[in-house]
């Protein structure tokens, strides 16, 4: 019997990210001193160490930077195999690890630099951003 997908536990630093995802928004942080956007959420800028940060809503657009196709699923992902564990580059610059959904995850379908858009999966009380090819509906 397949298990349940793991659910991240929000921390004080990540709670605004997950709150936004629950509203269907992909929000990341930007430094108010040097202006650099970054991901993953943290209490200070990884570029200049400033604690003067803001959250902003991204465009939800990205490109496929890298991926691996997993054929031996982690517990909870048995029904999804094979699935892609991907790194996408957000239009705003930062990269994030995610899954590619809405298409068969094969090398023919996962073309580097392909245009993607954010979509969301709710797991229990937490909503997870994932990406699908731009112009497609998630199945």
């Amino acid at each position: 019997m397949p298990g349940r997908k793991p659910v991240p536990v929000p921390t004080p630093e990540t709670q605004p990210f997950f709150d936004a995802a629950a509203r269907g928004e992909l929000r990341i942080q930007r430094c108010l001193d040097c202006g650099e956007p970054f991901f993953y959420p943290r209490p200070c800028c990884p570029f200049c160490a400033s604690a003067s940060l803001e959250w902003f809503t991204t465009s939800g657009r990205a490109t496929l930077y890298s991926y691996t196709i997993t054929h031996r699923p982690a517990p909870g992902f048995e029904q999804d195999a094979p699935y892609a564990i991907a790194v996408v580059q957000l239009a705003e610059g930062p990269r994030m690890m995610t899954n590619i959904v809405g298409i068969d995850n094969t090398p023919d379908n996962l073309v580097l630099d392909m245009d993607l858009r954010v979509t969301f999966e709710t797991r229990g009380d937490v909503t997870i951003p994932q990406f699908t090819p731009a112009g497609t509906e998630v199945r």
Side-chain angles (χ1 to χ4, degrees):
M1 176 171 148
R4 291 182 17 198
K5 289 182 180 179
V7 177
V9 177
T11 65
E13 287 81 18
T14 63
Q15 190 67 56
F17 173 80
F18 289 111
D19 290 346
R23 297 188 305 270
E25 299 174 358
L26 180 60
R27 291 177 61 87
I28 62 173
Q29 292 173 292
R30 174 174 36 225
C31 179
L32 292 172
D33 287 332
C34 73
E36 291 290 332
F38 57 90
F39 182 82
Y40 59 89
R42 57 196 103 178
C44 63
C45 175
F47 300 100
C48 73
S50 171
S52 183
L53 310 174
E54 69 174 352
W55 286 91
F56 72 99
T57 302
T58 70
S59 65
R61 294 179 297 116
T63 55
L64 183 58
Y65 180 77
S66 183
Y67 68 90
T68 186
I69 297 174
T70 302
H71 292 272
R72 293 184 180 183
F77 290 86
E78 295 87 355
Q79 300 300 316
D80 297 337
Y83 58 90
I85 300 170
V87 176
V88 300
Q89 179 130 22
L90 301 177
E92 293 75 15
R95 294 180 186 148
M96 69 184 300
M97 188 172 283
T98 186
N99 294 111
I100 306 298
V101 298
I103 60 170
D104 290 333
N105 285 184
T106 65
D108 288 340
N109 289 341
L110 298 172
V111 178
L112 295 183
D113 296 324
M114 69 190 290
D115 291 330
L116 303 168
R117 67 174 175 79
V118 72
T119 186
F120 298 91
E121 177 186 335
T122 300
R123 297 182 195 165
D125 295 334
V126 177
T127 302
I128 311 294
Q130 299 176 318
F131 285 81
T132 190
T136 63
E137 290 297 318
V138 177
R139 0 179 198 134

